[in-house]
Amino acid sequence: MSSHAKPSGDRRFLQVHFETMGAQLAASKSGMWLFLASELLFFGGLFTAYAVYRANHPDMYHYGQYFLDWRMGAINTAVLISSSLSAAWSVRAAQLGDTKTLKATLWLTLLLAGAFLVVKYFEYAHKIEAGYIWGGEHCVDNLKVAGKLTEHQIEHCLSALPPEVAHLPIPEHMGRFFSIYFVMTGLHGLHVLIGMALYVWLLRRAGRGDFGPKYFGPVDMVALYWHIVDMIWIFLFPLLYLIG
Amino acid sequence: MVAATRTAELHQGHEETSTHDNYLTHAHGWRSWIFSLDHKRIGIMYLCAILISLLLGGVFALVIRLHLWTPEGALVSNHTYNNLFTLHGAVMIFLFIIPGIPAALGNFVLPMQLGAKDLAFPRLNLLSFYLYCIGAVLFLGVLLASGIDTGWTLYPPYSLEGSRGLGVLLALTGTFIVGFSSILTGLNFMATVHSMRPKAMGWFDMPLFLWALFATGIIQVVATPVLGITVALGFLERLFHLGIFMPEYGGDPVLFQHFFWFYSHPAVYVMILPAMGIVSEVVSVFSRKPIFGYRFIAMSSIAIAVVGFLVWGHHMFTSGQSKWTNIIFSFLTFFVAVPSAIKVFNWLATMYKGDIRLKTPMVYVLGFFGLFGVGGLTGIFLGSLATDVALHDTYFVVAHFHFVMVGSVLTAFLAGLHYWWPKITGKMYDERWARVAAILVMVGFFITFLPQFLSGLQGMPRRYATYLPEFKPLHQLSTIGAIVLASGMFLDAWVLWVSLRRGKAAPANPWGAASLEWATPSPPTHHNFDETPPITGPYNYDVLEEVSEEAGWVRNDGWNP
Amino acid sequence: MHRLILAAAPGWLPPRASEGAGKVDSIFMLILGITTAFFVIIVVAATYFTIRYRARKWTAPQPSPSHHLKLELVWSIIPTILLVAIFGVSTKAWLASADAGTTEAATTVYVTGQQWKWQFEYQGGKRSDELHLLLNEPVDLVLSSPDVLHSFYVPAFRIKQDVVPGRFTRMHVTPTEAGNFPIFCAEYCGNDHSIMQTQVVIHADQASYDAWKNEKIDESIPLVKVGELLFQKNCQSCHSLDGTRKVGPTFKGLWGSTQTMEGGEAVTVDENFVRESIVEPKKRIVQGYPPAMPPQSLGEREMQGIIEYIRSVK
């Protein structure tokens, strides 16, 4: 990733408190890595909550896993890994001053991120429709609470149950699994959205011809961010979809 | 030869800038302030904001103390009292102590100590200031909304019950945003120290204040996001009943405590580490001796930052967590005490055979030794399991953490404020009255909080709006102390106000300090330095000579602003 | 040693009314001694240096080393050793009281903390707002809360235990001093947190304790009876009292026994396991039994009743 090129000619984007572009890039990089460390700890809290509940209520995870479609998750994993590849490619293109490839790869990353969210949308829509939502509102938990659900809702909730769980006892407070699922994937989705906004911004700047061998910091930084978003998903996918 | 030419050039530069172009006069109008990217102006804005928070939190504290004059409560209802202590804690912790030294004084000083023109990310710096302001406004919104009576610790299930009003949601949001501000500040500081040090300044040539801010940055970047996710989960729990923290929906309220203290214990070191950094600077300058055991002090900052992450469970010895958890956390807690002890001994050794001048900052630092001594040593009672089970959640704890978080951090903050005041404002203040104020503050502090150790020992629980009559004399003594403390603070505010209005002009280096911020004029120019000055070492006093009281100290290598 | 330290303990410590209290106080005095010594060193050194090396007109700092490895190691290692020693002594004393909570001989009192009062229920049906104990008689307190966090704090016993909704916590104490001592709630619990106080009454002899117990006829049904009624209504179709195997495990000899779960985990049947088996019966199933039990929602007193009843089926 890192390049030790020390551009000095083009000082258009050199801020006044730095002496060289190299110093400026080095500072941005260390700042970005610290930010990503911070991001990991932010998600770390959720992974801890996941682990604590998994240790205390394994039955809940075993049951809940069947509600998530691993095919959808796998597609999204592939989509994100490809987008990471194109993000890395865009950095290389910026460093080489290849504006055409740069724009193409930025577009590709943006589109793949969009595709990820579309798949996510279908997953969410299906669950919310059936009533498999978070915490105390989860329909399976409310089946036996008299008067909480309408006839129609009950029917909906039961008809959408995955066949694998039919013979399993229903764990208490199943909604907690979906709380964790929605909070983790939701927060991740929010990061994807932010990433898309950043790629739109990069596309505008690339269109203006800002980037080249002497100035490619923003492309580099956004790509770093994007890799972390990707990496978090690579943990989320097996934890939520695969290991019941 | 090259050096001589450079010196000559710089002297020329000095001629030009001496017509008083400094960061305060560089641009005019309110826009030049609120959109300023200059770390010094942002530092000043932070300083004003946190002083307002200090005033607000202080007024809450005074009302609390006056209310406790009588056992049945002299002033307000229980409900109002509960709101008062919650807001006192939240405002003082999130809006004053945590950002106090790093964001206000650190912002001003850090780039200059590095010989740099600004922080690595000036825009991010301004952003963190505004995030801080938004968070602060949300806390004020809590006051206007339904209030908040949960304690600053926000323990569920009480805090997340449906019947709590809007106040809790506002406070959670405010905490989240202020936390974000803190992360960005820490990140900015770390990146600046890491990547903007001049080539001639190695890690071990930095002033210890920078080490302290760097260690603080580690905690801010690593711990604060966990607070962020905790309050975010609390927020969602309250709105959508996630069932993560609320037992009603199958959640675990003790998990919240773990999350909360994973941040909030290291946060204590966000407060105390920069304070220790100031003490290191001041004790060396006013003893006119290099700091004793530089490496031990620098490394102990990092050690505190790291070990500080492993001890959060000592806040939960009575929560019903497992026996082994308690024992491990107690054991680790004892190890945090060691680096702190090392620092104190090193500071004392710095004074040995020194040339000690009792200027105001040094008076505060001498007080700090006493206050931090009491605060730190009483921590041992609370880290030890047998005694903590008796003392937990009593006034003993209240007294302990006030000695550390207020006694030590506030006095170090004031030491720093008086130390850098001539640099910040270009004005000197009245030494005599400033010292009187310092003594009033510290004496008032002892009178307020020493009795609370006693009442805690005798069983007085914290967060009580009313109390058993046998605690009355101790409570009254405390209240008297609070009034003395407050009068000291007001006297000091007056001293500084007078200095602003008609203080004598400050020389570039009034104290004879060797770190680089004193190699700029007072107040500094817009870009601090035209060129990084030659590095002579932060505690190398051999290169300095005193000209006179008015003209301060100059470097004898000819390099002067 | 222990007694010697205690004898020197000043009068401002609160009265000691339990075995553990004396131990806590002697550790308190030990730490106080060590920390005071350190504090004196700090203050004396700071004061002496300030006076001795105060700058005067023509003084200058005298040469002295800027670091001294041996000295620094000494003042790092000595505090470390002292701290580890304190840790050892303190943890040992704490373990003695924490481990004591499992003695079979002890009587049990159910403590309920709720906004904003304490309720005590004794075996045999007596209920009260004050905690009544008999001198030198070990007792287990089983704490629970129907609303928010509380903390049960008796300064004279030097102990404190948080009361957490949704689970049981417990503490163990042997009173050693007759008299009345205050009880506080130490975890903030809302508006009237500060009036959530009562007292523990320690009776000097059995006669006075019995007199209190029979003082007025209690209308309430004893806990064990509450449990029995619930058992007859909800449990007996699947759980036997005589050891015969029905759908679920028998209650006979269940309390305190160790059961193997599906998956091999061994669990001791205590308050929290019984609570879990009622609230979340499918979480852990006793090996060899079907996961057939539906979850029940019980009030805090019914929960205590079932526990008391299972205890009684020997």
Side-chain angles (χ1 to χ4, degrees), chain A:
Chain A
M1 278 306 310
S2 74
S3 132
H4 289 284
K6 273 198 179 169
S8 53
D10 189 352
R11 295 169 78 90
R12 207 159 30 125
F13 298 105
L14 180 62
Q15 290 174 291
V16 69
H17 56 293
F18 288 107
E19 279 169 19
T20 62
M21 293 298 277
Q24 181 170 311
L25 184 64
S28 311
K29 275 219 165 139
S30 59
M32 197 63 203
W33 280 111
L34 289 169
F35 176 71
L36 297 181
S38 192
E39 282 281 6
L40 284 184
L41 264 292
F42 193 61
F43 277 94
L46 289 177
F47 282 111
T48 310
Y50 171 95
V52 168
Y53 277 90
R54 191 178 175 99
N56 289 338
H57 311 276
D59 52 332
M60 191 169 86
Y61 284 76
H62 182 62
Y63 190 88
Q65 164 219 206
Y66 294 113
F67 287 76
L68 307 181
D69 189 343
W70 67 270
R71 279 158 302 208
M72 296 260 214
I75 292 170
N76 261 350
T77 308
V79 165
L80 270 198
I81 289 177
S82 331
S83 77
S84 244
L85 185 68
S86 84
W89 197 350
S90 70
V91 179
R92 191 72 199 133
Q95 285 170 344
L96 293 173
D98 181 352
T99 313
K100 218 175 114 201
T101 317
L102 173 64
K103 278 199 249 180
T105 47
L106 290 178
W107 267 115
L108 184 61
T109 315
L110 184 62
L111 288 177
L112 287 168
F116 176 88
L117 285 184
V118 169
V119 174
K120 204 82 229 155
Y121 167 79
F122 282 114
E123 286 193 78
Y124 275 15
H126 169 254
K127 285 183 192 61
I128 291 169
E129 231 246 299
Y132 305 143
I133 55 176
W134 43 83
E137 316 300 323
H138 187 65
C139 74
V140 176
D141 283 345
N142 289 327
L143 281 176
K144 52 189 177 293
V145 185
K148 183 101 190 212
L149 301 176
T150 64
E151 285 286 310
H152 177 71
Q153 281 172 320
I154 292 174
E155 193 186 317
H156 224 81
C157 185
L158 289 175
S159 67
L161 276 186
E164 295 91 334
V165 303
H167 66 280
L168 287 176
I170 301 176
E172 282 314 285
H173 297 296
M174 236 346 265
R176 290 176 297 183
F177 174 82
F178 288 88
S179 294
I180 288 170
Y181 166 77
F182 276 109
V183 172
M184 289 182 105
T185 55
L187 189 66
H188 177 262
L190 188 66
H191 278 76
V192 173
L193 265 180
I194 293 169
M196 288 175 73
L198 290 171
Y199 272 100
V200 170
W201 171 69
L202 284 184
L203 269 168
R204 267 193 55 201
R205 292 195 66 178
R208 280 206 310 250
D210 284 358
F211 303 123
K214 284 152 193 157
Y215 179 63
F216 54 85
V219 186
D220 202 351
M221 298 308 123
V222 174
L224 276 179
Y225 168 83
W226 193 251
H227 296 322
I228 284 286
V229 173
D230 183 14
M231 204 188 83
I232 289 167
W233 176 258
I234 290 185
F235 280 96
L236 285 181
F237 172 55
L239 285 181
L240 291 169
Y241 291 73
L242 298 183
I243 51 172

Side-chain angles (χ1 to χ4, degrees), chain C:
Chain C
M1 180 66 190
H2 174 119
R3 271 173 215 290
L4 214 79
I5 295 175
L6 274 191
W12 35 258
L13 290 172
R16 287 181 285 273
S18 73
E19 271 177 2
K23 279 189 199 145
V24 171
D25 279 5
S26 66
I27 287 162
F28 179 85
M29 294 311 295
L30 174 76
I31 303 178
L32 187 66
I34 294 174
T35 52
T36 306
F38 272 91
F39 186 67
V40 168
I41 292 173
I42 293 169
V43 171
V44 167
T47 315
Y48 174 74
F49 291 163
T50 310
I51 296 168
R52 173 71 180 75
Y53 302 114
R54 176 88 189 269
R56 293 188 178 78
K57 252 239 155 94
W58 301 110
T59 53
Q62 304 158 44
S64 64
S66 70
H67 62 94
H68 190 290
L69 189 63
K70 261 190 208 151
L71 189 61
E72 289 176 82
L73 284 177
V74 165
W75 68 45
S76 309
I77 291 168
I78 291 181
T80 310
I81 292 171
L82 284 173
L83 286 167
V84 171
I86 294 174
F87 165 78
V89 180
S90 166
T91 305
K92 202 177 139 215
W94 175 77
L95 272 177
S97 67
D99 282 341
T102 43
T103 42
E104 257 315 297
T107 52
T108 300
V109 177
Y110 291 89
V111 182
T112 309
Q114 57 184 310
Q115 291 166 325
W116 290 278
K117 61 174 201 257
W118 295 103
Q119 271 279 339
F120 304 93
E121 180 143 6
Y122 307 79
Q123 287 165 319
K126 182 85 179 175
R127 301 167 85 177
S128 68
D129 294 338
E130 291 175 345
L131 176 60
H132 285 256
L133 300 175
L134 180 57
L135 189 65
N136 295 326
E137 179 97 345
V139 61
D140 274 334
L141 302 172
V142 176
L143 309 118
S144 60
S145 156
D147 44 42
V148 299
L149 293 170
H150 303 279
S151 188
F152 185 79
Y153 176 33
V154 188
F157 294 159
R158 307 287 189 278
I159 45 174
K160 187 180 285 111
Q161 177 61 58
D162 287 7
V163 186
V164 184
R167 71 171 70 155
F168 289 104
T169 50
R170 58 192 302 165
M171 61 206 289
H172 178 86
V173 69
T174 309
T176 54
E177 194 74 44
N180 297 2
F181 305 96
I183 295 173
F184 298 114
C185 174
E187 181 65 66
Y188 177 71
C189 59
N191 210 38
D192 287 338
H193 169 54
S194 66
I195 60 167
M196 191 164 161
Q197 305 180 6
T198 178
Q199 57 178 354
V200 49
V201 180
I202 300 169
H203 295 270
D205 49 51
Q206 189 77 42
S208 125
Y209 184 70
D210 289 343
W212 163 76
K213 228 175 172 176
N214 304 324
E215 190 178 65
K216 63 176 188 237
I217 293 122
D218 214 292
E219 312 269 289
S220 63
I221 315 170
L223 272 181
V224 69
K225 188 78 191 161
V226 171
E228 190 181 346
L229 290 172
L230 270 170
F231 173 81
Q232 285 161 2
K233 202 170 107 208
N234 295 336
C235 320
Q236 63 180 358
S237 53
C238 303
H239 298 276
S240 76
L241 295 177
D242 53 5
T244 45
R245 186 190 164 107
K246 288 191 181 176
V247 181
T250 176
F251 282 3
K252 185 180 175 172
L254 184 63
W255 185 261
S257 68
T258 302
Q259 301 284 337
T260 311
M261 300 294 120
E262 289 289 346
E265 187 192 358
V267 172
T268 305
V269 179
D270 61 3
E271 294 91 352
N272 277 317
F273 180 71
V274 172
R275 179 193 286 271
E276 180 193 294
S277 304
I278 293 170
V279 178
E280 282 187 71
K282 273 143 207 151
K283 204 174 121 183
R284 289 188 284 193
I285 305 286
V286 178
Q287 205 160 48
Y289 287 92
M293 176 156 157
Q296 316 280 326
S297 59
L298 297 185
E300 212 50 56
R301 183 147 196 270
E302 292 171 311
M303 193 71 83
Q304 292 166 345
I306 279 288
I307 285 165
E308 192 53 32
Y309 184 65
I310 294 177
R311 285 167 87 105
S312 73
V313 186
K314 292 270 156 58

